[in-house]
Amino acid sequence: MSASAALLDQGLTAHQRGDLPGALALYRQVLALDRANADAVHLIGVIAYQTGDPATAIDVIGRAIALDDRNPAYHSNLGEALRATGALDRAAESHARAIGLDPDFADAHRNLGVVELARGNAEAAADSFRRALARVPKSAPAWHGLALAFESLGRMAEARDALDECLRQDPAHADARLRRDALPTSQPPLIEPAPQAADWSAIILQDLRAQCRTPGGPERLAVIDQLCTTLLDGQPTVQRAILDALEEEPLCGDPILDASAQFRLSGDLIHYERLIHIVMAHGGDWPLDVAQAVYWSISRQIFLGRPLATRLAAFTAGDLPRFYRWILREVKRRCAVAPKPFLPRPGTPRRIVLVTNQFTRPMHQPSRDAFDYARRLQDDFGCAVLLVNGNLMPGAVVTAFVPSFQAMVTPDLAGPVAVTEDGATVRTWSSVEPTLSDAKIRGLVDAIEGFDPDLVLSFGGSVLAADLFAGVRPTLCIPTTSGATCSLADIVLSFDGGDPTVGLPEEYRAPFAERHRPFVFGYSAPPEAQRASRAAFGLPEDGFLFTIVGGRLDDEVTSAFLDRLDRILDRCPGARIAFAGPVASLPDRLAKARNAGRLHSLGYVPEIRALYRVAGAYLNPPRQGGGGSAAYALADGVPVVTLAQGDVSAIVGPARGVDSLDGFVARAERLCHDPAFHRAESAEARRLFAAVDSRHAAAAQLLAYGRELADRYAAR
């Protein structure tokens, strides 16, 4: 932590305990070190407001906004200072700006309600207080404000009910008590609790419709996604009344935005089915980069486990592959792609192109795996290898899909680059254009044909640059996740040695089954940590430690999963949970959990095995991915707790995947409290890793399948 950050934390601590002079002195020390520290400037302005100088507060908070105009708290606090000076219209604008940046900012909604009351707009004020309560149902100030709005509107019974609820949340609220006692008592006091956020979902839905019908860019999409999250309230789908309302009146006229938002609220794949059919039926009117972005955005939501199970098998085996093949045909047609004829060379392939959709630095797990396969084929088996990085997932937001999806692109990996990792060097060729284009396709085709490979390896599913050569050169697909994958390769391998076509509807199974071959993806763990301590991660040395690891924890650690983590900690006194992986929104959500003090977000951990050395168990969120991080946990004897789904379940086997989140909690609790059980599971974890510690054998198996293909092509 930097010196200025440490001083800012000290200032916040003083501020929170009411020591305003001490906090002010510390904030000024921060600015002495960092004149552009917007947080320190803002907090000095807040102190000015709190000490009765709103004019100075307006000036100082305005300077903070000039440094950072994306922080909603700055705008809302500016609105409060403006209200204190009587500048009500400007105050309303500031609060509205805060809400535009964060539609779930309950304080900004409440503050806007106060301003609307002062402007004489009681109905608008009531709406703002309802919006605040829809986010924070137990806010006594918001209930008080709603009561004042109802009084202004002459709706005394509703005012009485709101005051009752205010006093239920804060029995010491003096003004609420006085007003409640002054109201007529012709009706009995409220007995049942007042309506909670779910009863006011119509207000949030109204906001959602308004945002969907307002033009805007990525910022608007983020607001729409937040409103969807508010409506979901931690559940997989919204209440039936909202779904019925959306069937009666779609959100907007944009088919991408409407379908994706409705899926976000329902998890029902019928909305994606409709969108795919619209795109394919009007294909000539859709730019290729938009269609490609829609495909990947849908695929990402499936990977994150968002769909309801009802239509999933038919969709992933029918609609989604059909859409992928349509995109591939359109790329060939519009970009005039016609791969050159290939003269087959029988025998074991000696020249291999490994094509991936994404290769990044700092290397994430799939990139690390792609590099490792490439260097093993090169260094262990003497093959000439070119790793081609198409960056064919959208690197820019080009559609109104929510939630928006933008993949990482590493700009310095452009064109031909020799990449060195852990003492090994592999030739690569990358396109870094953020979207699909003629130039990107031509560059990829030229790079592959220029290398003249005996075998094209598609690393992962839906690798369009590799599938352009299907039927022309021997092509083989290595899935990087469990389940069926979209690929046109001659041979499509399994992920875990099983048959991914089992369970597919029979009408879709044959095209997958006839190209399927058994294969175990295989992992090779990074070097074992020689020294490890909890102190190195800022964790207390005592208590059982659970760990959760991933590259998409913001998405994968849902509200429902956080509830289960709270249950685990309730049953395991003294235990802690550490989250390892790059995050943005997760720390704020952890801070609101019941056991917030025992939930630790570590950020990206470069030496993950050092964390595993001090951990007692690995908790896997409900997700498709996570295979690599779980495999490395097994290597260090860390037992895994997972649902019976996705890559992690494929690695640990059916005997150790549980069927429900209640079973998940029970297994975690037993690992914490039963030392003998934990020792046995730790030994089993090491045995399980031995079964997947097979990267060299996997590379040898690839070459054997490659020889089968080469001989087949030569015999044509």
Side-chain angles (χ1 to χ4, degrees):
M1 181 182 292
S2 68
S4 60
L7 287 168
L8 187 67
D9 279 352
Q10 294 173 34
L12 282 168
T13 300
H15 203 154
Q16 289 163 357
R17 68 170 181 261
D19 179 9
L20 299 187
L24 183 60
L26 287 162
Y27 296 150
R28 285 173 174 161
Q29 289 182 51
V30 172
L31 292 181
L33 296 172
D34 178 7
R35 299 299 301 174
N37 191 303
D39 284 336
V41 175
H42 165 245
L43 290 165
I44 289 172
V46 170
I47 290 176
Y49 172 74
Q50 291 174 321
T51 53
D53 188 359
T56 297
I58 291 167
D59 177 63
V60 175
I61 297 175
R63 278 185 269 156
I65 290 172
L67 292 168
D68 176 10
D69 70 348
R70 303 293 304 153
N71 192 313
Y74 297 3
H75 291 280
S76 189
N77 286 332
L78 176 62
E80 283 297 272
L82 288 165
R83 180 179 63 82
T85 67
L88 299 180
D89 290 346
R90 291 178 59 200
E93 291 171 1
S94 290
H95 291 310
R97 172 65 172 157
I99 291 166
L101 290 168
D102 181 2
D104 283 341
F105 192 178
D107 285 350
H109 286 287
R110 190 190 72 234
N111 291 338
L112 180 56
V114 174
V115 172
E116 294 294 5
L117 268 181
R119 292 206 296 181
N121 301 330
E123 195 66 65
D127 282 347
S128 290
F129 291 126
R130 287 192 191 97
R131 287 182 169 86
L133 288 165
R135 276 87 176 168
V136 184
K138 296 183 179 181
S139 169
W143 281 110
H144 180 250
L146 184 61
L148 297 179
F150 284 148
E151 281 190 50
S152 296
L153 293 166
R155 292 155 60 175
M156 296 308 175
E158 291 168 284
R160 180 188 304 107
D161 291 348
L163 288 170
D164 283 339
E165 187 61 28
C166 175
L167 290 168
R168 186 175 285 110
Q169 302 304 331
D170 181 8
H173 198 298
D175 187 71
R177 177 67 62 191
L178 288 171
R179 288 179 178 277
R180 178 65 183 84
D181 291 344
L183 285 175
T185 57
S186 56
Q187 296 183 15
L190 185 69
I191 297 174
E192 295 298 322
Q196 297 295 296
D199 298 314
W200 294 336
S201 56
I203 295 173
I204 310 300
L205 182 57
Q206 179 185 352
D207 290 350
L208 179 61
R209 289 191 190 280
Q211 286 291 338
C212 287
R213 294 170 183 179
T214 301
E219 292 180 8
R220 178 186 63 134
L221 298 179
V223 169
I224 291 169
D225 189 42
Q226 282 184 286
L227 289 169
C228 290
T229 300
T230 301
L231 279 171
L232 285 163
D233 192 28
Q235 302 304 310
T237 182
V238 296
Q239 55 190 289
R240 184 72 253 169
I242 295 177
L243 298 180
D244 291 343
L246 291 173
E247 284 294 326
E248 290 291 326
E249 182 187 358
L251 288 165
C252 62
D254 182 331
I256 296 176
L257 180 54
D258 185 72
S260 59
Q262 292 217 42
F263 172 83
R264 183 80 176 86
L265 295 172
S266 67
D268 193 337
L269 285 164
I270 191 172
H271 299 293
Y272 285 169
E273 292 171 18
R274 290 170 178 168
L275 178 57
I276 286 174
H277 298 162
I278 289 171
V279 175
M280 293 173 63
H282 302 87
D285 300 328
W286 289 75
L288 277 177
D289 61 339
V290 172
Q292 170 85 338
V294 167
Y295 173 82
W296 278 109
S297 297
I298 290 175
S299 298
R300 183 171 186 264
Q301 293 304 297
I302 293 171
F303 185 80
L304 291 173
R306 295 275 169 77
L308 301 177
T310 317
R311 304 172 187 269
L312 186 58
F315 183 83
T316 54
D319 290 274
L320 196 62
R322 189 178 298 117
F323 187 29
Y324 176 68
R325 292 192 298 270
W326 178 86
I327 291 172
L328 192 69
R329 288 194 301 271
E330 288 297 301
V331 167
K332 289 180 177 180
R333 182 179 68 82
R334 298 190 203 184
C335 300
V337 174
K340 298 173 184 175
F342 168 66
L343 182 62
R345 297 183 280 264
T348 302
R350 308 313 301 167
R351 298 183 65 80
I352 298 174
V353 164
L354 188 151
V355 191
T356 181
N357 277 319
Q358 186 184 36
F359 187 76
T360 67
R361 282 178 170 174
M363 295 176 74
H364 71 320
Q365 187 61 48
S367 298
R368 191 184 299 273
D369 289 329
F371 182 89
D372 191 50
Y373 267 104
R375 70 98 179 166
R376 284 176 184 274
L377 289 167
Q378 170 186 278
D379 298 345
D380 296 359
F381 295 94
C383 299
V385 178
L386 177 67
L387 194 160
V388 172
N389 170 28
N391 278 319
L392 278 166
M393 292 186 286
V397 177
V398 297
T399 75
F401 199 102
V402 292
S404 58
F405 173 38
Q406 185 173 354
M408 181 185 295
V409 175
T410 306
D412 63 332
L413 294 177
V417 177
V419 174
T420 299
E421 295 289 342
D422 298 327
T425 300
V426 172
R427 295 168 59 190
T428 72
W429 191 96
S430 296
S431 168
V432 294
E433 289 186 61
T435 59
L436 193 62
S437 68
D438 286 357
K440 176 186 276 283
I441 293 300
R442 282 196 297 271
L444 290 167
V445 170
D446 289 348
I448 293 171
E449 288 189 328
F451 191 74
D452 192 24
D454 304 319
L455 177 66
V456 177
L457 283 180
S458 168
F459 194 79
S462 309
V463 183
L464 188 145
D467 284 333
L468 289 171
F469 290 88
V472 178
R473 292 176 185 261
T475 54
L476 192 154
C477 175
I478 315 170
T480 54
T481 187
S482 55
T485 188
C486 293
S487 173
L488 272 67
D490 300 303
I491 289 177
V492 179
L493 304 177
S494 63
F495 175 77
D496 57 358
D499 183 351
T501 71
V502 172
L504 293 183
E506 283 303 317
E507 59 268 32
Y508 299 121
R509 185 181 181 191
F512 291 91
E514 65 191 16
R515 295 179 294 131
H516 163 257
R517 298 289 189 281
F519 183 74
V520 175
F521 184 74
Y523 289 94
S524 294
E528 186 174 358
Q530 297 305 307
R531 289 201 237 10
S533 71
R534 294 192 186 184
F537 297 102
L539 298 169
E541 294 292 344
D542 60 323
F544 193 89
L545 180 64
F546 298 99
T547 186
I548 298 173
V549 180
R552 290 173 288 269
L553 294 182
D554 282 333
D555 294 311
E556 293 167 343
V557 180
T558 62
S559 297
F561 186 61
L562 272 176
D563 288 342
R564 290 308 191 282
L565 298 183
D566 262 332
R567 286 179 56 189
I568 290 172
L569 293 178
D570 290 342
R571 298 183 184 190
C572 301
R576 297 177 180 275
I577 301 176
F579 299 80
V583 292
S585 65
L586 182 62
D588 287 342
R589 292 191 287 121
L590 296 181
K592 298 173 185 175
R594 187 169 62 254
N595 292 289
R598 294 193 281 153
L599 298 169
H600 306 272
S601 181
L602 307 181
Y604 174 68
V605 175
E607 295 187 33
I608 195 62
R609 295 193 70 179
L611 178 61
Y612 290 149
R613 281 285 298 273
V614 298
Y618 173 104
L619 304 180
N620 185 47
R623 60 181 173 182
Q624 178 66 26
S629 61
Y632 303 155
L634 297 175
D636 282 303
V638 179
V640 169
V641 184
T642 184
L643 294 173
Q645 63 183 51
D647 299 354
V648 175
S649 177
I651 289 169
V652 303
R656 278 168 177 75
V658 298
D659 294 329
S660 68
L661 285 171
D662 287 341
F664 188 99
V665 173
R667 176 168 165 79
E669 182 184 10
R670 188 178 179 191
L671 286 168
C672 176
H673 289 306
D674 187 338
F677 178 68
H678 187 275
R679 284 193 298 273
E681 289 297 290
S682 180
E684 177 64 12
R686 296 181 189 279
R687 188 195 68 76
L688 286 169
F689 181 72
V692 297
D693 184 17
S694 54
R695 187 61 58 79
H696 182 88
Q701 182 69 70
L702 288 176
L703 290 176
Y705 284 131
R707 176 166 187 152
E708 174 190 334
L709 281 178
D711 292 345
R712 184 196 305 176
Y713 269 68
R716 284 181 174 180

